[in-house]
Every structure is written in C-alpha cells, then in structure tokens.
Amino acid sequence: LEQSISTYLGASHVLAASNGTATLHLALVALGIGSGDEVIVPALSYIATANVVELVGATPIFVDVDPRTFNIDVSLIQAAVTPRTKAIIPVHEFGLPCDIAKICELAASLGLSIIEDAACALGGKDGEKYAGTFGHFGSFSLHPRKAITSGEGGLLVCADSALAGKISILRNHGVKMENGKITFQEAGFNYRLTEMQAALVHSQFQRMEYILTKKQELADIYHEEIKSPALLLPIVPEGKTHTWQTFHVLVDPSIDRDSLILKLRENGIGTNYGAQCMPDQAFYKRKYDLDSASLFPHAIVAYHHGLALPLYEKLSAAQVRHIATTINNLTSRP
C-alpha cells in the first residue's frame, strides 16, 4: 500500500498509520514541536486540525478562510506569524487544494515547516502536482467518508528520509530493530495500520481514479441542476483539481440551514453542515476566548450557513437530480 501510494503521488516516502489524526500528530512530534510553540491553522476545518496542535502542547493560531474556496486566506498568514511560530498546517478543505505553492513559498521565506492536512484530497492537484506532496509532510485520511477507506486509517507523505525513519519508529511504540532484536528508541505510539486494513484499502486504490471521475460527474450535475438563488455553489479555481470529498454550498441567511437539513431528512436526503469554525467550539472558546464573529467572519459564515450535500460514487445521476430538485423546491421563495 505504501509503495503504491508513493508511486502514484511521486512522493519520496509514504507511511501508513491508524488514522489521519495520528499522521498529523506524528508529523508534529517528529518536528519537535511542543510547549511554547505556535502552529498556524485555518479557522475552518474538522476539529482534529487544531486538536493535534493542542496534543503536543503547542498553541494553534487561527487564520480566517477565503469565503469562496473555504481554504486558508494566504494574505492573512504572515500577520499571524510570531517568533514562536514553527509550522503551518494548511488544509485542502472539502478536497479542493488550497494555494499551497504560495504558502510553501511564504513558509520557506520565514523558516517554517509545512504539514499539509490533505485528509479529503487524495488525488487532488494544484497544477500538475498532487496535494499532500508540496510540504514537509502531507497527511491523508482513510476514514469511511473518504473516496477510499480502510475503515479507519491514514497515510503520511514525508519528504525527508531521516524524518520518515523517525515516524516509522514513533508509530510503533518507538520500536527499532538492531542486530535482529527489538529495541525501544522513543516513547512512541500505537499508531499502526493493520495488514488487513492495508489490504482492504489497497484493493480500493486500484479503482480510485474511477471513483474520483464519477464524483466529478455528479458534482457537474449538481452545478447544472441546482437553480435556487438561495444557494451559493462551490467553485474550482483554474489549475485546481477537486476530489469532491464534499459538495459544500452556502445557504442564504434568510433560510434557516438547520431547518433545511431536517426538511431534507424528511424527504429521505441526508445532509449536514460542512466543517467547524474551530475557535468557536467549546474547548477553544474556554481556553482562548476569541471573538470568532469579528476575527474569523468567513469561517463563522461557513460554519453556520454551510451545507454538505450527498456525493459518493454509488449515487446515480437520477438521484443527484432528485436531490437538486428537492433543494430547489425547499429553498424557493414565494
């Protein structure tokens, strides 16, 4: 599995682990990031992006997102950098690659490490290069909602041989073989992926391109069939290849998003909000007491008005058209 993904991505090293959160955590530990350090993260993401920073004792520094791509706003990053900043964790939100080349250029000028949170973006591209292969690390998730899954699992791209070697030890209780004997070189973690899980996801990897193509076709139908002016549809900037992990729309504030979710459920359509405004969650509110509405307005809007529509390869075109028609009807104004 590791070799197949490495060849596909053109990556130097790929290491499998128990989940995508573990891969992010391993990258931070391998870089030696800890107490007193700061790590820049987007204000909008799944909560794990900030949690792993907390777990190593560092401080997440939140930066607002672009209102149309939902990815970190590159123009705001430098102002968030302090002498304590050690790394940036840019997220390819919903499977759309962020402006990662610009972020890497900025990080290099500031001496910062880059850990790409590409949990949703296996197969996504910025230009001709795959998401997850620009930074020092690239983290992918194999969670059941992803295009290919091991039930639970993660993959970590690493550009540096020494760091890759350290990760391979850290993920397995700090074990290193010396002279045919097990030695414990680090206080490591039980972050192994099992052989059975690896076999499961490797078989799916053989048809991943078909899955991504199918999801693109369904996303195209959504774009064609959703006519309601109350919904703002996602965009794909030129040069980006979206994996469509999530088809994320913004619902006009005149319509209660949560009520719409319930109405769709009554019509047999399961939807949910897309991602969290992380600094607005209970733990981060208590600890940092940030005014998210004023500091991260775009992340707050996406959190309160975003809607993730069903999108997976086993949906038929007719089902997607039915979903679009139902949404049009439920959000049409008198």
Side-chain angles (χ1 to χ4, degrees):
L1 171 64
E2 292 175 336
Q3 185 56 57
S4 294
I5 300 295
S6 178
T7 300
Y8 172 79
L9 294 174
S12 301
H13 306 279
V14 173
L15 300 108
S18 55
N19 56 69
T21 305
T23 52
L24 291 172
H25 188 209
L26 285 166
L28 289 166
V29 173
L31 289 170
I33 293 173
S35 180
D37 296 332
E38 295 176 351
V39 178
I40 292 173
V41 300
L44 183 77
S45 181
Y46 185 64
I47 201 71
T49 307
N51 283 353
V52 291
V53 178
E54 290 284 337
L55 290 172
V56 297
T59 301
I61 302 299
F62 300 103
V63 170
D64 204 11
V65 296
D66 182 284
R68 291 301 283 119
T69 66
F70 309 108
N71 284 321
I72 192 168
D73 188 332
V74 181
S75 69
L76 302 177
I77 292 176
Q78 188 155 2
V81 174
T82 76
R84 295 182 295 278
T85 307
K86 294 296 187 293
I88 306 172
I89 305 182
V91 179
H92 304 295
E93 194 61 48
F94 305 131
L96 176 65
C98 64
D99 291 330
I100 186 62
K102 293 180 182 177
I103 294 171
C104 286
E105 183 179 349
L106 175 62
S109 70
L110 298 171
L112 305 177
S113 297
I114 293 285
I115 304 169
E116 294 176 68
D117 186 339
C120 301
L122 183 59
K125 286 184 176 180
D126 186 357
E128 293 303 311
K129 192 170 181 180
Y130 283 105
T133 65
F134 286 80
H136 300 87
F137 290 99
S139 170
F140 298 98
S141 171
L142 300 173
H143 180 272
R145 286 193 65 242
K146 304 304 184 280
I148 59 174
T149 177
S150 50
E152 277 287 1
L155 299 165
L156 186 65
V157 171
C158 182
D160 182 87
S161 296
L163 287 173
K166 187 170 185 177
I167 293 288
S168 68
I169 293 171
L170 285 169
R171 69 176 170 177
N172 186 24
H173 294 291
V175 168
K176 183 179 180 181
M177 297 297 294
E178 290 186 341
N179 300 318
K181 296 181 180 179
I182 291 176
T183 64
F184 294 90
Q185 299 291 330
E186 302 279 353
F189 310 97
N190 184 2
Y191 281 170
R192 298 181 300 258
L193 188 73
T194 67
E195 296 289 344
M196 182 173 67
Q197 289 171 304
L200 175 65
V201 73
H202 187 262
S203 67
Q204 295 167 61
F205 174 65
Q206 309 309 311
R207 57 189 180 90
M208 189 179 77
E209 287 300 324
Y210 162 78
I211 292 170
L212 294 179
T213 299
K214 179 69 173 176
K215 294 179 81 171
Q216 179 64 63
E217 292 171 357
L218 298 176
D220 289 342
I221 295 173
Y222 272 135
H223 275 108
E224 293 166 4
E225 298 294 330
I226 295 177
K227 308 294 186 181
S228 172
L231 298 182
L232 187 63
L233 302 184
I235 64 168
V236 182
E238 186 176 354
K240 310 280 188 182
T241 303
H242 205 313
T243 65
W244 296 111
Q245 162 65 29
T246 301
F247 193 90
H248 185 261
V249 303
L250 283 183
V251 180
D252 190 90
S254 64
I255 294 174
D256 184 87
R257 189 269 318 270
D258 292 346
S259 295
L260 178 60
I261 289 173
L262 293 176
K263 290 177 183 177
L264 286 167
R265 191 174 300 164
E266 291 169 1
N267 282 268
I269 299 168
T271 60
N272 207 338
Y273 72 92
Q276 292 92 38
C277 176
M278 297 188 293
D280 197 52
Q281 304 311 300
F283 170 80
Y284 293 98
K285 273 186 174 181
R286 289 196 306 269
K287 185 166 185 178
Y288 299 109
D289 192 28
L290 298 173
D291 182 357
S292 294
S294 62
L295 294 172
F296 319 110
H298 300 312
I300 278 288
V301 168
Y303 177 45
H304 289 296
H305 301 288
L307 181 68
L309 304 184
L311 184 58
Y312 52 96
E313 78 280 5
K314 291 186 179 180
L315 278 176
S316 68
Q319 287 173 316
V320 172
R321 290 190 181 96
H322 169 71
I323 294 167
T325 298
T326 304
I327 289 172
N328 288 336
N329 292 337
L330 290 174
T331 58
S332 61
R333 296 185 177 92

